[in-house]
Amino acid sequence: MFLTKQDFQKNVSRHDGKSKIVVKFHGVPIYTFCQDISFRESMMLAETIVSEILDGKNKTALMRINDILEKETKTEKEGA
């Protein structure tokens, strides 16, 4: 499967003075990060995280995506 930026959702929020970044793939969280950085820096970091995933540099996230796709495929086969 070919992944694009549209496969990911990025949520950035502020809690107790810290930025929380959650990157989701097909609605399932695959990466969470919380640090004392600005909202703008958080948005740029979220973009960087997705780019690293697409470039194959984040192996943990890629393994999580693979698990999600396997579950989706299994569910589709069971429903057919």
Side-chain angles (χ1 to χ4, degrees):
M1 176 181 196
F2 183 71
L3 301 176
T4 66
K5 285 188 177 189
Q6 288 73 30
D7 291 310
F8 299 90
Q9 302 83 44
K10 300 173 295 288
N11 299 38
V12 176
S13 58
R14 298 280 295 171
H15 298 284
D16 300 324
K18 294 186 178 186
S19 291
K20 181 178 181 181
I21 301 168
V22 179
V23 177
K24 297 179 180 182
F25 176 77
H26 290 193
V28 180
I30 58 168
Y31 188 94
T32 303
F33 181 81
C34 189
Q35 190 171 346
D36 187 13
I37 58 177
S38 73
F39 188 80
R40 181 181 173 139
E41 290 171 314
S42 299
M43 293 298 293
M44 291 187 310
L45 182 56
E47 284 295 325
T48 300
I49 292 165
V50 171
S51 293
E52 287 179 350
I53 293 169
L54 292 172
D55 290 344
K57 295 178 182 175
N58 189 322
K59 302 297 182 196
T60 303
L62 290 171
M63 289 188 316
R64 184 82 175 105
I65 289 169
N66 190 46
D67 290 344
I68 294 166
L69 291 173
E70 284 178 5
K71 287 178 184 175
E72 288 178 356
T73 302
K74 183 179 177 182
T75 302
E76 287 175 7
K77 287 181 180 177
E78 289 174 352

